[in-house]
Amino acid sequence: VGSQVIAARRRHRPATSLAVLLVVLGALWVGAGPASAHGGLVESDPDDGSVVARAPSRVTLTFDGRVQLTAREVVVSDSGGLPVGSSTSTDGPEVVVTLTDPAALADGTYTVAWSVLSDDGHPQSGALRFSIGFASPTVTPPPTPGASSRLVTSTRDVVTALSLLGLLVAAGLALFTALVLPASWPGTDVRVRVRQLTTYAAGLGAAGVVLQVPIASVYAQEQELSSLASGFAAWLVGKEMLAAAVTVAGLGVIVTAATEGPPTRARSRWLAGGALLALCGPPLVGHSRSAVPTSLLLAADALHLAAGAIWIGGLLGLALALRALSGREVLAARTLARFSSLAGGVLVVVATTGAFQAWRIVGSWSSLVGTTYGWLLLTKVALVLGVAGLGAWNRWRLLPDVVSAAGFGDRRRAATAVTRTVRVEALVLGLAIGVTGFLVGQAPG
Ligand code: HEM
């Protein structure tokens, strides 16, 4: 037993993996441009507050990333609040408002009230003014655009948290069954329980990602939950629909391939393939696809999710498996050693890809400590560090006790301590995933 644990420790070289990842990220750090600011409107032509000699034929608004128009129109009005004829189009980060008849515009101040949806799914609105000839002494302000209520954002965050939890647990348990649980595992009841939990988690993940689509549509248009069905705008949530389809397909493969007996090699491949497919869904939406360098962020996000899934799936799988193993410490130690050989690398990958995303999305220390996004991220990191600390305690303090315990009673006591710690680790990691549900819905700026 001891030699298996030691062999697992030798196989695993966390220091080497960490060094390689740090070198790669260091190179990216030097090569990448500034982080995306998520500040919304960057500039306009004419400038906000400027006075121009002649009526412009169009007003151009430039944002800090790609934007989409929503059902809310961009409205140009005169100083008395009366609308002026215009049409609007977008081109990447630019919104162009073409004035229908600029020659007919009287001198005075005009207001452009705009509403757009940023590439990471956050609605933004505002207004700017320009004057022709002179600034009007009084200007009727445009109606203040109403944002979605807290009920909408809280529902969105809770649904995201549950769907991420379901997805990571289902994908993680599928990877645990395919990669960690020894084929010689005798306890069918453990496999039955793992399969049951995988199926429930897949159901939760699938229901969550599907429900996220109409909620994203409501949020994008700054509506309320009462418009969930009536206000559904498929053209605004194409990315969310694609992400949901990919995740549901992957989860479907997992549920179909899961068995109550030891999986064949082909089934193991289906389980792993389904898990990887399902995990490709979330990176298709959200902040990593609107920050730069986009392709690297997408890859980092996918790796982050895969490593996170292996971690939570491994802990839950162990929590289910170990309690069935009293009296079979050899098999228990082999399973734990297999997971341990993955766990160090998983931690390194999760931390480096998470730190990389955080750097590109948050962009500055002041945003890290001065925004809700930053504080949620710090809370998540604190929870993850807590799990890593518990994991280290388990591996280096409790596991050797199981191996070296002399009598049956001592071994059992030590094994119970290991199992209890694994359960607490799984619980705290689940909380960290829950916090992530709130994190991904928050505007970083
Ligand atoms: C030091 C540790 C970690 C850091 C710094 C970190 C950081 C981040 C950041 C910055 C994001 C992007 C959020 C966004 O899109 O706005 C993210 C996403 C995510 N993280 Fe972590 N994370 C860490 C550990 C973990 C762990 C241990 C798990 C799971 C067990 C996890 C699961 C996730 C998930 C599910 C997402 C959502 C991905 C998506 O929606 O595309 N993270 N993380």
Side-chain angles (χ1 to χ4, degrees):
V1 172
S3 63
Q4 283 168 11
V5 176
I6 291 162
R9 281 180 196 165
R10 280 202 189 124
R11 269 200 305 276
H12 165 56
R13 303 249 186 281
T16 318
S17 340
L18 182 61
V20 171
L21 268 162
L22 286 179
V23 169
V24 172
L25 290 179
L28 293 175
W29 196 288
V30 173
S36 53
H38 297 275
L41 186 64
V42 181
E43 60 178 25
S44 66
D45 180 20
D47 276 344
D48 187 19
S50 63
V51 180
V52 294
R54 279 206 203 132
S57 58
R58 57 192 210 163
V59 178
T60 308
L61 313 175
T62 307
F63 293 84
D64 63 359
R66 290 174 63 85
V67 289
Q68 247 182 303
L69 292 172
T70 68
R72 285 198 173 169
E73 288 165 5
V74 176
V75 179
V76 184
S77 8
D78 65 15
S79 58
L82 290 176
V84 167
S86 65
S87 59
T88 313
S89 61
T90 49
D91 182 10
E94 282 195 349
V95 170
V96 179
V97 187
T98 307
L99 296 165
T100 314
D101 189 3
L105 298 184
D107 283 1
T109 300
Y110 289 82
T111 309
V112 182
W114 53 266
S115 247
V116 293
L117 182 65
S118 67
D119 206 27
D120 53 9
H122 296 295
Q124 303 173 28
S125 31
L128 65 90
R129 284 178 185 179
F130 69 92
S131 305
I132 305 170
F134 62 86
S136 305
T138 55
V139 178
T140 306
T144 319
S148 293
S149 67
R150 221 188 164 88
L151 180 66
V152 173
T153 49
S154 313
T155 309
R156 177 204 57 193
D157 294 345
V158 170
V159 170
T160 308
L162 291 176
S163 76
L164 284 176
L165 196 62
L167 165 64
L168 261 70
V169 169
L173 283 175
L175 292 169
F176 177 78
T177 310
L179 307 175
V180 179
L181 207 55
S184 59
W185 186 272
T188 41
D189 52 335
V190 170
R191 290 196 188 273
V192 169
R193 260 184 261 129
V194 168
R195 189 189 171 188
Q196 264 172 0
L197 185 56
T198 308
T199 311
Y200 294 146
L204 181 67
V209 284
V210 170
L211 195 54
Q212 274 177 296
V213 176
I215 295 178
S217 161
V218 162
Y219 173 68
Q221 300 177 90
E222 300 175 280
Q223 296 171 331
E224 290 308 308
L225 289 180
S226 51
S227 317
L228 211 59
S230 57
F232 184 63
W235 49 279
L236 274 182
V237 288
K239 292 187 297 262
E240 284 77 5
M241 289 199 285
L242 178 63
V246 168
T247 298
V248 171
L251 291 173
V253 172
I254 291 175
V255 171
T256 316
T259 52
E260 290 177 358
T264 58
R265 207 169 262 205
R267 270 190 191 269
S268 290
R269 277 198 214 112
W270 279 109
L271 283 173
L276 296 181
L277 177 63
L279 293 167
C280 285
L284 297 174
V285 286
H287 299 129
S288 47
R289 67 177 307 266
S290 60
V292 284
T294 310
S295 44
L296 283 171
L297 273 152
L298 289 179
D301 199 359
L303 265 178
H304 189 70
L305 277 160
I310 292 176
W311 198 355
I312 185 80
L315 288 175
L316 284 172
L318 284 179
L320 288 176
L322 292 181
R323 70 175 179 180
L325 276 188
S326 42
R328 293 191 184 166
E329 282 76 16
V330 174
L331 201 52
R334 194 188 312 152
T335 312
L336 264 171
R338 275 187 172 200
F339 178 65
S340 295
S341 68
L342 284 175
V346 157
L347 176 59
V348 169
V349 173
V350 146
T352 40
T353 51
F356 178 54
Q357 289 185 86
W359 166 53
R360 298 313 299 163
I361 294 171
V362 178
S364 69
W365 292 110
S366 56
S367 294
L368 186 63
V369 291
T371 59
T372 310
Y373 188 95
W375 280 108
L376 281 170
L377 183 57
L378 291 173
T379 307
K380 175 182 173 176
V381 171
L383 289 170
V384 173
L385 287 178
V387 183
L390 279 173
W393 165 260
N394 215 356
R395 182 171 169 184
W396 281 294
R397 181 71 192 79
L398 300 182
L399 191 55
D401 282 355
V402 179
V403 174
S404 63
F408 177 73
D410 281 355
R411 217 184 269 176
R412 199 168 182 173
R413 253 190 305 281
T416 307
V418 169
T419 313
R420 200 180 303 131
T421 318
V422 165
R423 282 190 199 149
V424 177
E425 283 176 56
L427 186 73
V428 182
L429 202 54
L431 277 179
I433 297 173
V435 171
T436 306
F438 287 75
L439 182 72
V440 295
Q442 202 70 39

